[in-house]
Each structure stands twice: as structure tokens, then as C-alpha cells.
Amino acid sequence: MPPFAAVNIRELIRPIGQLLLFSLGSAGVLSALVLVLALILDQTAVGLHLHDRYNVSLATYTLVNLPQVVIDGLTIGFVYAAIALGYTMVYGVLEFINFAHSEIFAVGAFVGVELLIALDHTGLLRSASLGMAYAYLTLALLMGMAAAGALAVTVERVAYRPLRGAARLVPLISAIGVSFLLQDVIRLVEGLTTGQFNRIMPTFGNFDRRIMLGRLALGDTTVPLGISVKSIIVITAAVLMLAGLNYLVNATRMGKAIRAVAQDRATASLMGINVNRIISLTFLIGGLLGGAAGVLYALKFTRIDPFVGFFPGLKAFTAAVLGGIGNLTGALLGGIVLGMLETFAGSFLGVFTMGAAGSEYKDIFAFSILILVLVFRPQGLMGRHVGQKA
Amino acid sequence: MSLLSLTDVHSFYGHIHALKGISLTVEEGEIVTLIGSNGAGKSTTLRTVSGLMHPGSGRVEFDGRDISRMEPHAIVAAGLGHVPEGRGIFPTLTVRENLEMGAFTVRDPEAVRERMAYGFELFPRLKERIDQHGGTLSGGEQQMLAIARGLMMQPRLLMLDEPSMGLAPVLVELIFDIVTMLNDKGVTILLVEQNALMALSVAHRGYVLQNGELVLNDTAANLRRDPLVRTAYLGMA
Ligand SMILES: Nc1ncnc2c1ncn2[C@@H]1O[C@H](COP(=O)(O)OP(=O)(O)O)[C@@H](O)[C@H]1O
Ligand SMILES: [Mg+2]
């Protein structure tokens, strides 16, 4: 038997390698795609139109804008990946789509943001040193995770477990009901306590600072290339969580039990595994990741409302299906590809169509993907199962 | 007191009445076999004992304790192992991980190591396959893994559901030799088989199950001579 330490380090490094591979891979493929498109369109009215404005070729314009698009795409892609893992873990174990997961995410966001707003009112945030600012953000992240994790476990216990033996559609309908219920609960609580549905993440710390990586020449002007501190935080936190999850599922006793339950629930129970506890654990993990994603999303996009979970949830679900629902690695890949794709679409659609279709059409891409995958490759890019090693 | 006793157990799948009042006992140290043709209710009997399903009525007692309402994981922890029909190997867990799952209730890593080594002693083939996925093993190797995994928790009673199913004759011999050897070491065994000839050659006592009811109950030697058993299950005139 190889020494334990050797196995462990490999299990920690492997997912980071995978994330890097997926990021570079999807960035590379999409960049090549838009560049080819740019070269083709360069001689058409599209190219001429752009040339009139910036005095550069469409290819140059595209090339210069690419790095920033990739950075932004990665940031949102990691958020999608973290949410997608919640869908995929639960699906892998129960073959059931937890439609309430988007609201678990929203509750995480609200708890984190409300905590920071409360701290802001006491004046603590404004006077906070940089170290304390990070401590408060970490606290908000942990509280959002704890609330979302506890909620996910409770929802399973109350709304899904009693329906375990029922027809497949029944828990699905229950999940949709829970989803609406939670939206209204958030509205009710926010209405009663603050009188407002829209909440704004307080500005503090150095999170809004942009670190300039340089300026790229574009004809007569230059294009800034930078990354905001909050993007770095989002990416770092997501990578740490994803690596942690991978480690948990592949290298720990509980993680192996999760995989065993996903593969064969009855036999797993004959191993002495308490299947209900493993199912609760699965919801807990999904909730923790979803809650963290909620707080990170609020950090990145600032404004949240009771329906904030809807689109990210639907897109993360798409990401999970794209990667292969039930497959953990697939959720990472799907999240990154989807985040990247939608950012590419949002950034280049306007130029490529001469403004006829702007970035507001980017969601078409996400949902077209969902439909195309469901029709042509329902098992997703990587096939299925949490049972498999991530 | 019997190690295992079933008293007038009825089990159902929805409206299907699969067990119609089963009463049987297994004494400490015995090999007891339960034979019967396909669909007789053998697997259902084991599933009802290990908690995978609960009896509609009747009592299941293990070591003097009523286990008929307990969940499988708790029954396992009480010392009752069940190697299910079809082996139940986790296909994308490695051989090592499958064995680790068998020892899920064992918290001492040293004990897990020792028992794994014992499993490899019984079935050296498994050691060669240690990092292979369970799903890539041959049927015989999977059966070895299922038995080795069933032993990881060191059960007081091991229930085996058709361990010879689909195996080449040499392997069937090996499996039954190991059943006998385990029994010599003190493991009580409840053996479900369609291969009545082999089962009755290793067991001390046997029960014959037909359509959810026990029709015979005797020593293995007597059952081997029984006309019904000879015609219906041993294929002899
Ligand atoms: N999951 C199930 N759902 C409905 N009926 C079942 C199920 N499993 C077994 N049965 C029925 O219960 C009876 C006993 O089956 P089983 O215990 O598997 O028989 P055996 O193991 O002796 O071949 C059979 O009539 C079978 O059709
Ligand atoms: Mg059977």
C-alpha cells in the first residue's frame, strides 16, 4: 500500500491541473474561433465599419480585446462551476435535479450581503484595515455558506426525503415549489426587515481596485488590460473550494462513501453506510458551495434581489448538463466553458453584428447550448456519474 | 438461542406477496443453505433479514435482538454481513476502495490493513488487481471481491446470495472451499443457492423454498436423499 501522503498530494494537485487545462483549453478554442470569424468578417461591411471607428482591422481589435475577455470569462465561469457542482452532486447521488439550488445560492448571497451591510452600518467596514476587510469578507463567505448548507440539508429532509419512493416527477415538482417558496421567503424577510428587495454589496477593502496588467495598442488608442481584486478573490476562492471538494470526494472515507452511494445505494447500505446521512452530506456540500458562490457573485456583481438565483442557477444547471450531469469534473468543465462562451458572446457579438445584436443576447448562447446538448449529447461532454472519480 | 431466527415472516413488493410466512433458524457455527428455483423468494429472504426491505409481518431476530425494523447499516454494524445477488461491486471504485467500503464501520486503520491482507491471502488474484476499477474485473474476480469485502467487517453471520452464479466449475469449487474454510474459522453462514448439489455438500442443514413458502427443512445429508430435492433441484430421477 503506498504511503497516504503520496496519494493525498496528487489528489490536491490534480484538480488544479484540470482547472488550468479546462481554462486554457476553452480560452484557446474560443479565441481561435473568434479570430477566424474576425478574419473572415474583416473584408465585409463589419470590418469596414470597425475600421472607420478605430482605424484597425477587425482581427487586431479582436486580438487586443481577447485577454480581458478571457479573464472576465474565467471569473464568471468559476462561479458557475461552483453552483453547477451542487446540481451535479445531488443528481449523481439521487438522479434528481434540485431546482431549489438556485435559491440556496440566493440565500447564501443574501446572508453574506446582509451581514456586510450590518457591519457597514456600525461603521466597522469603513474603518477596517485591509486585513480586517478580508476577515469580514471571509466571515460573510462563511456565514453565507453555513446558511445555504443548513438550508439545503433542511430542504432535502423536509421536501425530498419523504418523497424518495414516489415517481420521479414528484420530487421534481416539490423542488420547483421549494424554489418559489424560498424566493417569496426572501422577499418577505427583506420586505419586513429592510423594506427593500434590492440589496447592494457595501464597498470596502480594496476589492474594487483594478490591477492594471498593461495597455494594448489598438490603432490610435489603447485598450486597458486589468483584473479587479474581486475577480482574483472569486477565482482564488473558487479554485480552493473545487480542489477541496475533489480531495474530499476522491481521497476521504466519506467521499468514497458518497461515490459508493451514487453507484449502488442498496449495496452501500450493506457496507454499513448510513445512506440518509450520506445524502444529507451531499446536500450540505452542494449548499456550502452554492452559498459561497452566492456571496462571491454578490461581490462581483454588487446588486442582488430575491430572484438573483434564477439566471445563475439556470446557467449553472446548463453547465452541469453540458459537462455531463452527475460528473464532478464535467461540472467544472461545463462552468468554465459556459462562463467563457457567454463572456465571449457578450464582448464580440456587438462588433461582429455591427451593433445589431448586443451583449444582451449573450444568454441565447447559454440556453442554445442547453438545448443542443440535450438533443445531441444528453450525457454531456464527459458522460456521467459522481460515482466516477472527479 | 439461535444466532438468527425468522418467525412467520411475510414480505411484499407492492401487491406481490413474495414471502408467505417463513420461519427458519441459523445456529452459531452452522452453514445453513436455502435452496429453491428462480423466483422462489431466496433473495427476498436475505433482503428481509439485512433490512433492505422490512417484513410486512413476522419477526426477524439476530443474536436475540429484534432487527425487523432496523435499517441495513445498523444491522450490518450489529455483525450481520450480506453479499448480495449479483455481487454489488462498485464499478468505478477500485478493488482497494471496494474493500475499504466493506470496512466502513471499522475505525481502526490497522485492523483494516490486516483484514485486507487476509482477503488477499484468500484471493491472491485481487491483490494483482488492487488499483483496478471493480467494474473491470471478471465475474469470478468480482465474486472473490464481494466475499473478501463481506469479510472486511468480520461479520458473525455471513449471508451469501448465489455466490456460484455464472462462475466456471473451478471457481465454484474454490468459492465453496472458502465457504467451508471460513466456517471452520468460526463464521456462521447462510448460503442461498440454485446450485443445490454444491450447497448441500458443504452445508450442515438446509431449507427448501417454493413460491415464498418453506416446503422442506432437514439436515443436508437427508435433503440430498429426499426424492423431491433429487428430482426438482438435483436433476436426478
Ligand atoms: N424488485 C421487485 N419488484 C417486484 N417483485 C419482485 C422484486 N424482486 C423480486 N420480486 C418477486 O418476488 C419473488 C421472489 O423473488 P426473489 O426473492 O428474487 O427470488 P429468488 O432469489 O429465489 O430467485 C419473485 O416472484 C419475484 O418476481
Ligand atoms: Mg435471487
Side-chain angles (χ1 to χ4, degrees):
Chain A
M1 194 182 282
F4 248 110
V7 180
N8 290 0
I9 289 165
R10 205 180 59 205
E11 289 298 345
L12 275 176
I13 291 175
R14 203 166 49 119
I16 296 181
Q18 274 174 344
L19 288 173
L20 204 65
L21 183 76
F22 294 160
S23 306
L24 292 177
S26 53
V29 169
L30 285 170
S31 300
L33 217 72
V34 290
L35 276 175
V36 168
L37 211 58
L39 285 171
I40 292 170
L41 291 175
D42 217 355
Q43 303 310 316
T44 68
V46 176
L48 297 176
H49 180 82
L50 188 88
H51 203 270
D52 285 347
R53 260 171 72 195
Y54 295 107
N55 198 23
V56 290
S57 70
L58 185 57
T60 313
Y61 175 90
T62 305
L63 200 58
V64 164
N65 277 289
L66 271 179
Q68 189 66 56
V69 173
V70 167
I71 291 174
D72 293 345
L74 268 188
T75 313
I76 186 69
F78 278 120
V79 173
Y80 289 160
I83 311 171
L85 281 168
Y87 284 104
T88 237
M89 294 265 306
V90 165
Y91 186 88
V93 170
L94 288 180
E95 304 215 337
F96 151 77
I97 294 160
N98 180 14
F99 275 115
H101 190 57
S102 47
E103 275 56 53
I104 307 274
F105 160 91
V107 166
F110 267 91
V111 168
V113 169
E114 287 298 347
L115 177 77
L116 291 173
I117 291 176
L119 287 172
D120 197 28
H121 284 166
T122 64
L124 276 173
L125 287 191
R126 238 152 307 162
S127 62
S129 65
L130 200 57
M132 281 315 285
Y134 277 87
Y136 291 138
L137 183 66
T138 308
L139 183 67
L141 204 58
L142 292 177
M143 294 299 287
M145 290 172 80
L151 180 64
V153 171
T154 310
V155 165
E156 188 275 328
R157 187 71 193 78
V158 173
Y160 306 152
R161 193 177 301 179
L163 305 173
R164 188 94 46 82
R168 285 172 69 106
L169 209 52
V170 175
L172 215 60
I173 293 168
S174 179
I176 294 170
V178 170
S179 175
F180 284 127
L181 179 79
L182 289 176
Q183 279 178 10
D184 281 336
V185 168
I186 298 175
R187 281 207 315 172
L188 185 71
V189 172
E190 288 295 334
L192 289 178
T193 55
T194 68
Q196 284 177 299
F197 299 143
N198 294 326
R199 305 299 279 159
I200 306 290
M201 181 85 166
T203 309
F204 68 108
N206 65 345
F207 310 140
D208 285 302
R209 238 193 73 212
R210 277 184 86 76
I211 298 173
M212 293 310 297
L213 302 172
R215 301 188 74 86
L216 301 171
L218 179 68
D220 309 332
T221 78
T222 58
V223 175
L225 171 63
I227 182 166
S228 64
V229 170
K230 54 192 187 185
S231 289
I232 296 177
I233 294 172
V234 170
I235 292 177
T236 312
V239 168
L240 289 178
M241 285 192 309
L242 302 182
L245 175 74
N246 184 85
Y247 182 79
L248 179 97
V249 171
N250 287 335
T252 68
R253 177 170 167 271
M254 279 300 165
K256 288 170 197 171
I258 291 177
R259 287 192 281 142
V261 169
Q263 290 177 29
D264 184 343
R265 210 186 297 170
T267 304
S269 71
L270 293 180
M271 304 292 110
I273 296 170
N274 184 338
V275 170
N276 276 329
R277 266 185 46 202
I278 293 298
I279 290 172
S280 290
L281 176 67
T282 307
F283 275 84
L284 176 68
I285 294 169
L288 292 174
L289 289 168
V295 179
L296 294 174
Y297 183 91
L299 176 69
K300 171 86 178 135
F301 296 102
T302 314
R303 203 191 70 105
I304 58 172
D305 63 48
F307 308 106
V308 66
F310 184 74
F311 272 105
L314 207 50
K315 285 178 189 166
F317 171 65
T318 304
V321 172
L322 173 64
I325 188 138
N327 182 315
L328 298 185
T329 317
L332 302 185
L333 176 65
I336 292 171
V337 169
L338 200 74
M340 210 65 110
L341 184 80
E342 122 180 354
T343 312
F344 268 78
S347 307
F348 293 115
L349 213 54
V351 197
F352 284 5
T353 61
M354 292 196 291
S359 63
E360 66 273 18
Y361 286 93
K362 66 177 202 259
D363 290 345
I364 290 180
F365 283 79
F367 301 124
S368 306
I369 288 226
L370 178 61
I371 293 166
L372 288 175
V373 170
L374 287 176
V375 172
F376 292 107
R377 200 177 154 82
Q379 76 275 34
L381 296 176
M382 311 204 56
R384 51 183 302 266
H385 246 263
V386 168
Q388 274 159 27
K389 279 206 160 198
Chain B
M1 183 187 63
S2 309
L3 183 57
L4 176 73
S5 76
L6 279 69
T7 315
D8 196 25
V9 168
H10 291 258
S11 283
F12 300 83
Y13 295 100
H15 296 296
I16 298 172
H17 196 168
L19 297 186
K20 302 163 189 162
I22 300 285
S23 297
L24 62 79
T25 60
V26 179
E27 307 299 326
E28 184 117 45
E30 276 190 312
I31 301 181
V32 173
T33 185
L34 187 58
I35 57 181
S37 45
N38 200 10
K42 306 182 296 295
S43 298
T44 306
T45 306
L46 297 198
R47 293 166 60 83
T48 305
V49 171
S50 62
L52 288 177
M53 56 198 289
H54 295 302
S57 68
R59 250 176 108 75
V60 182
E61 276 178 49
F62 179 65
D63 201 19
R65 236 166 115 194
D66 185 355
I67 58 167
S68 50
R69 296 285 135 205
M70 277 164 64
E71 293 302 313
H73 64 90
I75 294 177
V76 165
L80 203 156
H82 179 180
V83 177
E85 185 171 21
R87 297 151 194 149
I89 297 305
F90 301 113
T92 64
L93 259 54
T94 62
V95 167
R96 183 207 307 279
E97 289 171 331
N98 266 282
L99 292 170
E100 284 171 355
M101 287 300 101
F104 189 78
T105 53
V106 184
R107 298 311 289 262
D108 172 16
E110 193 48 45
V112 175
R113 254 191 294 278
E114 276 168 19
R115 293 176 197 186
M116 212 181 277
Y118 178 62
F120 292 144
E121 225 173 273
L122 290 181
F123 304 109
R125 278 278 273 289
L126 292 180
K127 191 166 189 177
E128 298 164 23
R129 305 265 186 273
I130 185 161
D131 287 317
Q132 239 171 276
H133 279 175
T136 66
L137 302 186
S138 71
E141 290 165 346
Q142 287 195 0
Q143 190 59 60
M144 296 176 198
L145 179 55
I147 294 176
R149 188 179 65 180
L151 293 171
M152 291 295 289
M153 64 190 91
Q154 291 195 338
R156 292 179 60 195
L157 171 64
L158 184 62
M159 306 195 296
L160 300 167
D161 196 342
E162 302 209 32
S164 74
M165 201 202 315
L167 298 191
V170 203
L171 281 178
V172 176
E173 294 269 0
L174 172 71
I175 300 285
F176 280 96
D177 283 350
I178 285 194
V179 167
T180 311
M181 192 207 73
L182 289 173
N183 182 247
D184 288 343
K185 293 200 167 188
V187 185
T188 307
I189 288 175
L190 176 55
L191 175 66
V192 157
E193 265 299 341
Q194 279 196 57
N195 188 339
L197 188 63
M198 282 306 256
L200 289 173
S201 71
V202 298
H204 303 111
R205 290 192 299 119
Y207 292 85
V208 178
L209 195 57
Q210 255 177 18
N211 294 322
E213 287 174 285
L214 289 173
V215 291
L216 283 173
N217 155 24
D218 211 331
T219 64
N222 285 343
L223 285 176
R224 274 199 302 267
R225 287 191 293 267
D226 187 278
L228 171 81
V229 174
R230 287 175 72 87
T231 49
Y233 303 107
L234 300 179
M236 298 173 207

